[in-house]
Amino acid sequence: MRIRSLSVISALVLPVALYAAGASTALFSHFDYKGSDDYYAENPLTAPTQLYNPILPGWNSDPSICRTGNDYWLVTSTFGYFPGIPLYHSTDLVNWSLIRNVLDRPSQLPFLKGQSLDKGGIYAPHISYNPQNGRYYVTATDTGLKEGHFYVTATDPAGEWSDPVWLKGIDGIDPSFFFDDDGKAYIVYKEDTTGKPRWSNYRCIRFIAFDTATGQTTGESWPLNEAGVAPHEHLERDEGPHIYKIDGTYYLLCAEGGTSTNHSAVIFKADNIRGPYHRWGRNPMLTQRGLKDKRSNPVTCAGHADLVQTPEGDWWAVFLGCRPGPGKFQALGRETFMMPVQWSGDRYPYITQCEDTVPMVLDRPGAVRIDSMAMQGNFGWHDDFTTPSPRPEWMSLRGSIADRIATGNGTLSLQCSPEPSTGKGVPSYLGRRIQHHKFEAATEVRFNPRNEKELAGLMILKNEGAQYFLAVGKGSVSLHRIGRKGRDVLASVPLRSNKKAVGLKVVSDGINYTFSFNDGNAWQCLADKVDASHVACERTGGFTGATIGLYAEQTD
């Protein structure tokens, strides 16, 4: 790692009137992000019906999708981040936009504090539509609570969603609704498996009736009644269950094999909601396990799928997967991919078989790609903070920081907080998903700290114990590597300009980071060849990808 030193001048100075009493405030003028992955550069799309896979790049795990008319609605997990459960919209399965977050009020997420950022919080949301009452339902699990299953509803998905309704009578994780065409409703979920056989043909999926009038479960739950049990494979238990009724037949789709490279999806079918369910003899209906590690542009960990039918009658699947980077690791987390569904001769749906690979380019006949829409290829993203509140891409940790930020008129102000990024509270951090292995991100900050204990700048954050912080302090700019065992200052140089904003930038080549700053004259390299695997998923564990954004702290 190369470190550059500069001569000392003085700290940045801003008018005292900018600050409220107490902690100092950092003023950010913009945030820019631009992807530069090799695959996109080397494989330009050649037809307007083509699109890149993943359809939602960057951490968007556990996707669930539903359609009403020509509108597709898709949600993904957020674990310990606020706001919770992003809601994406499309009219053609090709062009997607982030409309809002389902859980965007503190009253909807008052329970994340104290939980692990990437292992606690909101798991596996499921979105569905009940034509009997015209309401959309999103249900999920908060794993930090004893009774952690809840749902929220809306008549317009793009509008405001209700406060949570907590479900009774079920345990475990991963609930999803099924509204039958006879007016009856059910919830299917993975039960609590504590003390149950780990390696057996036991599938641990349960069903329970749901009363839409009372908004609660009713009666006793019952287990998956399965016929044709598959051979013993020593795979992790089934989870993430979804039910569909297609041409009078009930289909049960589950994730299986854990969340790593053995991940998969399996399919069952039955003539009755209560079973018996026949497991497809050619399962898994989706996986990438067993394929050669050295294949080009591999997608790994494929599983946790959901199915949707187009108005034309075709079926498509969304599912999660991972893209290892040039260093064979990645900080993107589990992303949302899409593939067409095929049907076997015995009428089971499937996505891959044998050595089928997840493609990086898809063709969606009848749709037209809009290149100006985000999330396709090496796109760029810019925020000049002119909106009255942060855009829906921005997230904080475990709760709202609305009392510490203000945005509009081309500036975002962020107040320093004594709550550390390494704790389990709500620090002054505002981040967005990293969506490429190779990328550049930059911002500009005006900051007048009162002392050496106040810092503000650009942060890359995977979890409580894996972070990089490019910080402006009192008279200096420094790079901090934050880990489980503490904090190391990798580089520090004096600032040489006075009363000027400081530009901060990080460039990733997929293996290393280069951190730079500009205090008035030109960009200066502060440190290069900084190990990107410090925030990689393979090294840190957990269920999220890394985010990048703005951070302001006031240490003890």
Side-chain angles (χ1 to χ4, degrees):
M1 181 179 66
R2 178 164 57 89
I3 299 173
R4 182 151 183 188
S5 297
L6 300 175
S7 59
V8 63
I9 299 292
S10 64
L12 298 177
V13 177
L14 289 173
V16 175
L18 288 175
Y19 303 126
S24 298
T25 299
L27 304 177
F28 296 90
S29 64
H30 67 273
F31 183 90
D32 287 305
Y33 175 92
K34 180 68 169 68
S36 57
D37 278 348
D38 293 340
Y39 182 86
Y40 300 132
E42 296 169 359
N43 296 274
L45 300 177
T46 58
T49 57
Q50 287 183 324
L51 68 151
Y52 286 117
N53 235 355
I55 58 169
L56 300 181
W59 160 52
N60 278 284
S61 54
D62 311 320
S64 175
I65 189 171
C66 76
R67 178 185 64 84
T68 51
N70 292 320
D71 294 303
Y72 298 89
W73 306 97
L74 190 154
V75 294
T76 62
S77 293
T78 42
F79 299 95
Y81 279 88
F82 178 92
I85 310 182
L87 177 66
Y88 297 94
H89 174 255
S90 176
T91 58
D92 53 17
L93 292 176
V94 173
N95 302 290
W96 291 91
S97 57
L98 176 58
I99 295 296
R100 63 175 300 137
N101 293 279
V102 172
L103 308 177
D104 61 357
R105 303 188 304 276
S107 63
Q108 295 173 305
L109 274 178
F111 36 75
L112 295 179
K113 293 179 183 179
Q115 295 197 49
S116 168
L117 178 64
D118 62 358
K119 292 182 180 179
I122 305 302
Y123 278 39
H126 177 261
I127 187 168
S128 53
Y129 176 69
N130 182 5
Q132 301 294 328
N133 61 13
R135 301 194 73 82
Y136 293 84
Y137 289 72
V138 169
T139 183
T141 304
D142 182 277
T143 59
L145 301 180
K146 183 178 180 180
E147 294 183 353
H149 298 301
F150 66 91
Y151 67 89
V152 292
T153 65
T155 54
D156 175 10
E160 192 170 273
W161 290 74
S162 71
D163 279 346
V165 177
W166 297 94
L167 287 165
K168 300 176 182 178
I170 60 176
D171 57 13
I173 58 172
D174 297 355
S176 66
F177 281 105
F178 170 65
F179 301 104
D180 209 339
D181 52 16
D182 61 1
K184 295 181 180 180
Y186 306 89
I187 295 174
V188 59
Y189 61 99
K190 175 187 177 180
E191 68 175 315
D192 183 3
T193 55
T194 303
K196 302 290 176 66
R198 183 176 179 83
W199 306 120
S200 73
N201 292 320
Y202 168 73
R203 301 291 172 199
C204 75
I205 301 300
R206 295 190 75 86
F207 304 74
I208 193 168
F210 178 77
D211 187 339
T212 56
T214 65
Q216 280 297 333
T217 59
T218 180
E220 297 294 326
S221 67
W222 66 91
L224 170 62
N225 183 5
E226 181 185 355
V229 177
H232 190 312
E233 293 180 296
H234 276 202
L235 292 173
E236 294 284 350
R237 301 179 178 101
D238 288 10
E239 59 187 8
H242 304 316
I243 306 175
Y244 315 88
K245 192 175 186 180
I246 304 172
D247 297 331
T249 298
Y250 294 89
Y251 290 88
L252 174 65
L253 176 63
C254 298
E256 189 173 271
T259 58
S260 187
T261 53
N262 280 332
H263 202 35
S264 66
V266 293
I267 192 75
F268 308 78
K269 72 175 180 178
D271 294 327
N272 186 286
I273 186 69
R274 289 181 174 267
Y277 283 84
H278 297 267
R279 182 181 173 95
W280 190 34
R282 288 163 53 190
N283 273 325
M285 56 89 79
L286 165 68
T287 195
Q288 296 290 271
R289 67 171 177 254
L291 301 183
K292 294 180 180 180
D293 292 338
K294 294 184 179 180
R295 66 191 185 276
S296 60
N297 304 303
V299 174
T300 65
C301 310
H304 201 112
D306 199 3
L307 308 182
V308 68
Q309 189 177 31
T310 70
E312 297 76 28
D314 300 324
W315 286 87
W316 288 76
V318 294
F319 55 93
L320 65 79
C322 296
R323 289 181 293 153
K328 308 304 178 185
F329 59 82
Q330 52 86 22
L332 306 181
R334 298 171 297 162
E335 305 171 290
T336 292
F337 292 78
M338 183 176 76
M339 284 182 66
V341 174
Q342 303 180 69
W343 291 85
S344 67
D346 50 355
R347 293 298 295 169
Y348 283 90
Y350 68 94
I351 306 166
T352 66
Q353 285 286 277
C354 302
E355 295 186 359
D356 292 344
T357 58
V358 176
M360 295 286 285
V361 173
L362 294 171
D363 189 78
R364 170 82 168 98
V368 177
R369 184 186 70 258
I370 302 174
D371 289 326
S372 61
M373 292 190 71
M375 297 184 290
Q376 279 290 295
N378 285 326
F379 62 85
W381 189 85
H382 172 76
D383 195 347
D384 55 8
F385 304 128
T386 56
T387 57
S389 59
R391 291 168 59 179
E393 291 86 354
W394 291 112
M395 301 177 291
S396 53
L397 311 186
R398 304 181 199 85
S400 172
I401 57 170
D403 59 339
R404 291 175 238 160
I405 62 173
T407 183
N409 300 318
T411 300
L412 183 140
S413 64
L414 181 62
Q415 190 177 57
C416 291
S417 170
E419 188 66 51
S421 60
T422 54
K424 292 186 177 179
V426 184
S428 287
Y429 174 74
L430 201 64
R432 68 179 305 280
R433 292 165 177 82
I434 293 175
Q435 296 174 288
H436 299 80
H437 303 295
K438 296 185 176 183
F439 67 88
E440 177 178 314
T443 188
E444 184 183 76
V445 61
R446 290 182 177 269
F447 185 50
N448 182 26
R450 299 173 304 169
N451 52 53
E452 290 77 8
K453 295 182 178 181
E454 293 183 331
L455 299 170
L458 185 67
M459 174 171 276
I460 298 174
L461 186 148
K462 174 59 172 69
N463 55 30
E464 297 87 353
Q467 305 162 20
Y468 282 116
F469 182 28
L470 180 58
V472 172
K474 191 170 181 61
S476 67
V477 59
S478 53
L479 175 64
H480 304 246
R481 179 175 59 204
I482 301 170
R484 296 289 181 187
K485 296 182 179 180
R487 176 186 298 212
D488 297 317
V489 178
L490 301 183
S492 180
V493 298
L495 290 167
R496 62 182 188 176
S497 63
N498 191 25
K499 298 183 180 180
K500 289 185 178 292
V502 178
L504 302 172
K505 180 170 65 175
V506 58
V507 177
S508 170
D509 66 6
I511 300 175
N512 295 297
Y513 294 137
T514 297
F515 292 91
S516 304
F517 72 100
N518 184 342
D519 63 346
N521 293 328
W523 285 104
Q524 308 284 339
C525 176
L526 178 64
D528 65 1
K529 300 187 184 307
V530 179
D531 181 15
S533 73
H534 175 63
V535 293
C537 297
E538 293 83 354
R539 183 170 174 178
T540 62
F543 299 131
T544 69
T547 58
I548 186 169
L550 316 174
Y551 177 58
E553 71 175 9
Q554 175 187 337
T555 60
D556 294 334

